[in-house]
Amino acid sequence: MNPATDIPLNDQSESKPLNFIHQIIEDDNAIGKFQKRVHTRFPPEPNGYLHIGHAKSILLNYGTAVKYNGKFNLRFDDTNPIKEEDEYVQSIIEDVKWLGADFEDRLLYGSDYFQKMYEYAIQLIQKGKAYVCDLSAEEIRNTRGSLTEAGTESPYRNICNRSINVNLIQFQLMKAGKFPDGSKTLRAKIDMASPNLNMRDPIMYRILHADHHRTGAEWCIYPMYDWAHGLEDSIEGITHSLCTLEFEDHRPLYDWFLDELGAYHSQQIEFSRLNLSYTVMSKRRLLELVQKKYVNGWDDPRMPTISGMRRRGYTSEAIRNFTERIGVAKRDSTVDVALLEFSVREHLNKIAPRYMGILNPLKVIIDNYPDDQEEFLEAINNPEDESAGTRKVPFSKEIYIEAEDFMEAPPKKFYRLAPGTEVRLRYAYFVTCTNIVKDDRGNIIEIHCTYDPATRGGDSPDGRRVKGTIHWVSARHAKTAEVRLYDRLFTAENPAGEKYLEYLNPESLKILKNCHIEPALFENATPGLRFQFERLGYFCVDPDTNDNKLVINRTVTLRDTWAKIAGKQAR
RNA sequence: UGGGGUGUCGUCCAACGGCAGGACAUGCGGCUCUGGACCGUAGGAUCGGGGUUCGAAUCCCUGCACCCCAGCCA
């Protein structure tokens, strides 16, 4: 700490340019606005699971609070009982915590302020700035005007028709449940001719005889977003109220309410939401994918949800690094999913222990290896982390290798096993392919090799070199696992529009039931374990795992240079 | 055609009147018991047209393109 400022010195703020929001904050602090206080919040509606776009917002809000030694609230914006559920509240709390955004004891609910909001509404009515309107939903729509034409005033708008006292009584009767749903609203009296549609006497309260997940049947009038949100920020003393671009048009209304009430006034700042290539990010569409079973729930590893990514094996640190890299701005943008995957690989490379596992097995018999012999060869657990140590991997006469690592007629630059070629079995021996066994239809069933005993451990005493090193698992010692391979959910870079379902990737999930893994992994395999299958990618143990079945998810593949070369050769 | 926003490498973000830079992606090379990781290297951008200025991505004018808004959703 710097004793003069109490600000942590470890951040890189001098070296990195400020994003535009932090620039605003520093300008604010320079003139002493908010007494140099910074207090942010993440205000989700509990009507769905959080996705990576929310992660951007959470980490921006939390990171901003940390950077300026401020506070961060988690506040549920739960003003619409029809759409909201406790299940969503619980999942959101879990996700925010998992991301590392610490809201301390400030787990808050907009619904806790309903009484206060009600009292504020009475204040506005008393000021002559709000009125009860009997127009139906359709009538309100018809009198709102259009983008280019002014609206017309409600007949209930003017005090000549309805005195302040009558409005007050009507509003109290609304709250008391005397009217059916949709029969009346409380509206702000602003300007039906405003070019900003949000200012055309916006609705503050609607009647909804619905049970709320927290307040039950206590209320039958519920505040609208524009009315509620600024008050929630105000009540909590939020300084910088960060939201996405589509609320820019709402800022004049946000300001109007707070100014008319003379209430504490936080500053709304808008930034552009995150779009990611090859996926969809709207709650509506994610809900549809879940409800129509295109995926297996909100936490399906193909989903861009926080819970899906967690199940897929992504780390919160990787997601944090990703959101750092993408920055914050106001222009519409679609981030390449490759950047996310890079962040995931980068972190997993440092922390994931390595194991060997065979996804598509091909049996290899080492003819000159003694039938009953077995030995245990030393393997490095993580070349990026010496403290991860080593382990012993069993070896025997019959092993499995990856079917893709053998070709009868190899193309140029294929550095793997082929008739007559020698490769290294990782941490084991050099082997040379001597024979191929096929079935009646010509499919390769197994291959035969000879090994060089002098190369034990993988080094040749005579200094001869091999181009390729492949992974393997001893057949006798192998354990079986189900491996789920995930690919992008959509085939289109931007699956936009109403026909987005047409771009669903039919190959986004492939289940391999006969995978062979080394015993050390089997012993350590508890759900959530993240590891690398050497040469294949990063994987994790899925919670579907039980005593009878080990289920493994592929998180992300390793960069595959050979696939690129092979792809070019095919073209 | 009202109002509010936004235009910089393929993508995302910087440059705050003074050499357009970084990351990812891509190409090439090196290294390697993971064709991984890592290292090096190359190509690649200021929406158009005017103007101000010694000097413009940045300021002014003028076009153009894209996004958002007519829920008793948030």
Side-chain angles (χ1 to χ4, degrees):
Chain A
M1 289 287 198
N2 175 340
T5 59
D6 272 353
I7 289 172
L9 294 171
N10 60 342
D11 69 352
Q12 335 71 332
S13 44
E14 322 84 32
S15 56
K16 250 191 306 182
L18 299 173
N19 66 47
F20 81 99
I21 291 172
H22 293 166
Q23 188 64 253
I24 290 172
I25 289 173
E26 300 210 347
D27 292 346
D28 286 347
N29 286 347
I31 60 168
K33 192 172 174 183
F34 302 119
Q35 291 77 49
K36 302 189 179 183
R37 204 165 51 83
V38 171
H39 197 152
T40 60
R41 102 267 95 116
F42 175 63
E45 184 190 16
N47 67 345
Y49 278 61
L50 261 25
H51 54 62
I52 183 80
H54 295 112
K56 171 181 176 177
S57 175
I58 291 163
L59 295 168
L60 171 63
N61 276 290
Y62 175 67
T64 298
V66 169
K67 182 178 174 71
Y68 294 102
N69 223 17
K71 290 179 177 168
F72 165 76
N73 295 359
L74 172 59
R75 178 181 71 227
F76 287 95
D77 199 3
D78 52 351
T79 57
N80 183 358
I82 292 167
K83 291 188 173 178
E84 297 157 7
E85 290 174 28
D86 187 63
E87 178 199 345
Y88 296 131
V89 171
Q90 299 313 321
S91 75
I92 289 169
I93 292 171
E94 184 186 3
D95 289 349
V96 171
K97 284 185 176 169
W98 181 74
L99 285 171
D102 185 6
F103 47 85
E104 302 175 81
D105 60 348
R106 292 179 303 281
L107 170 59
L108 305 169
Y109 295 85
S111 53
D112 284 348
Y113 315 141
F114 281 171
Q115 180 62 32
K116 233 170 193 165
M117 293 177 192
Y118 176 73
E119 288 160 15
Y120 271 128
I122 287 175
Q123 254 187 61
L124 222 53
I125 296 171
Q126 284 170 333
K127 254 188 109 177
K129 298 288 185 162
Y131 62 97
V132 172
C133 179
D134 293 8
L135 256 29
S136 70
E138 193 187 353
E139 289 167 326
I140 286 181
R141 193 185 330 121
N142 291 339
T143 52
R144 187 155 26 225
S146 72
L147 293 178
T148 51
E149 299 158 308
T152 52
E153 294 183 354
S154 163
Y156 303 94
R157 180 181 215 262
N158 292 307
I159 323 183
C160 339
N161 298 334
R162 260 187 186 168
S163 70
I164 286 175
N165 270 341
V166 172
N167 275 313
L168 238 29
I169 290 165
Q170 289 280 311
F171 184 50
Q172 282 157 2
L173 291 174
M174 274 172 67
K175 176 182 183 263
K178 302 298 183 193
F179 308 117
D181 287 3
S183 59
K184 290 175 194 292
T185 57
L186 182 72
R187 292 227 257 167
K189 186 189 288 186
I190 308 182
D191 177 9
M192 289 305 292
S194 172
N196 182 342
L197 268 40
N198 296 121
M199 302 298 270
R200 318 240 262 226
D201 287 12
I203 293 167
M204 296 164 59
Y205 278 94
R206 74 282 216 189
I207 301 172
L208 242 38
H209 291 268
D211 266 13
H212 185 277
H213 72 107
R214 297 195 85 232
T215 61
E218 191 183 338
W219 294 85
C220 64
I221 56 171
Y222 289 93
M224 297 285 290
Y225 169 85
D226 288 303
W227 170 243
H229 203 89
L231 290 177
E232 291 164 9
D233 287 339
S234 178
I235 289 165
E236 293 176 14
I238 298 302
T239 55
H240 303 270
S241 176
L242 312 183
C243 63
T244 43
L245 249 32
E246 67 270 27
F247 293 104
E248 211 146 17
D249 279 347
H250 294 245
R251 181 155 29 94
L253 181 53
Y254 181 104
D255 292 339
W256 187 90
F257 280 135
L258 263 12
D259 289 343
E260 288 295 334
L261 294 170
Y264 168 82
H265 195 152
S266 45
Q267 179 182 358
Q268 176 177 305
I269 303 170
E270 310 84 11
F271 63 93
S272 58
R273 64 187 326 140
L274 170 65
N275 296 296
L276 251 197
S277 59
Y278 298 102
T279 192
V280 295
M281 210 71 94
S282 85
K283 273 191 186 176
R284 206 202 92 218
R285 287 181 183 152
L286 295 176
L287 215 210
E288 188 177 11
L289 291 172
V290 171
Q291 285 180 337
K292 295 190 177 168
K293 312 240 186 228
Y294 292 108
V295 296
N296 304 312
W298 286 99
D299 69 342
D300 187 299
R302 292 168 292 180
M303 291 281 274
T305 51
I306 309 293
S307 51
M309 291 180 172
R310 181 168 56 233
R311 185 168 179 182
R312 173 109 170 218
Y314 287 20
T315 62
S316 51
E317 179 171 333
I319 292 174
R320 270 183 259 130
N321 290 340
F322 169 71
T323 58
E324 274 295 311
R325 286 187 168 105
I326 59 175
V328 184
K330 293 192 70 159
R331 56 186 98 109
D332 293 316
S333 63
T334 301
V335 174
D336 191 341
V337 72
L339 184 58
L340 211 211
E341 292 174 344
F342 168 82
S343 299
V344 171
R345 286 191 190 100
E346 177 189 47
H347 186 219
L348 259 17
N349 176 49
K350 289 189 196 118
I351 64 162
R354 272 59 167 173
Y355 292 101
M356 290 196 285
I358 305 297
L359 266 28
N360 298 302
L362 172 61
K363 173 81 73 77
V364 174
I365 296 158
I366 301 163
D367 293 323
N368 61 338
Y369 194 87
D371 286 358
D372 297 325
Q373 184 171 315
E374 66 175 16
E375 50 189 322
F376 291 84
L377 300 159
E378 186 165 58
I380 295 165
N381 285 329
N382 185 349
E384 305 290 323
D385 175 12
E386 206 176 320
S387 72
T390 62
R391 69 183 184 286
K392 297 290 189 182
V393 185
F395 185 82
S396 62
K397 183 182 181 77
E398 295 193 2
I399 62 173
Y400 294 108
I401 65 166
E402 209 66 62
E404 289 172 19
D405 284 339
F406 177 81
M407 281 186 99
E408 190 175 3
K412 273 204 171 68
K413 294 190 180 172
F414 184 83
Y415 300 148
R416 308 175 187 186
L417 200 58
T421 68
E422 184 173 52
V423 297
R424 174 188 296 110
L425 296 175
R426 179 96 159 136
Y427 299 124
Y429 292 100
F430 286 11
V431 293
T432 304
C433 175
T434 53
N435 193 22
I436 305 172
V437 180
K438 295 182 181 177
D439 66 11
D440 305 338
R441 298 193 302 273
N443 299 314
I444 299 173
I445 307 246
E446 61 182 38
I447 61 175
H448 288 253
C449 290
T450 57
Y451 84 117
D452 176 358
T455 57
R456 188 175 196 278
D459 290 305
S460 59
D462 62 6
R464 82 178 183 279
R465 301 171 75 96
V466 289
K467 275 251 171 101
T469 299
I470 64 176
H471 60 281
W472 53 275
V473 169
S474 165
R476 194 193 309 166
H477 303 88
K479 302 289 185 181
T480 303
E482 171 177 318
V483 176
R484 298 174 182 171
L485 302 180
Y486 300 101
D487 198 354
R488 41 189 60 144
L489 229 201
F490 293 90
T491 55
E493 192 170 323
N494 178 17
E498 287 313 303
K499 50 178 190 160
Y500 76 102
L501 288 170
E502 290 175 18
Y503 302 113
L504 270 171
N505 179 4
E507 310 209 314
S508 62
L509 169 62
K510 281 185 195 156
I511 300 178
L512 271 25
K513 301 212 177 217
N514 188 33
C515 303
H516 300 294
I517 66 171
E518 63 165 281
L521 171 59
F522 189 81
E523 284 153 24
N524 294 335
T526 52
L529 174 78
R530 301 184 186 91
F531 59 93
Q532 183 194 103
F533 271 142
E534 294 229 10
R535 301 208 308 131
L536 297 176
Y538 297 98
F539 294 77
C540 68
V541 178
D542 189 83
D544 280 352
T545 294
N546 57 41
D547 290 344
N548 303 316
K549 187 164 83 166
L550 172 57
V551 179
I552 291 170
N553 296 321
R554 184 172 68 195
T555 306
V556 64
T557 60
L558 251 25
R559 271 188 66 223
D560 190 347
T561 308
W562 166 243
K564 267 179 211 162
I565 296 168
K568 273 186 222 161
Q569 287 178 348
R571 253 181 272 132

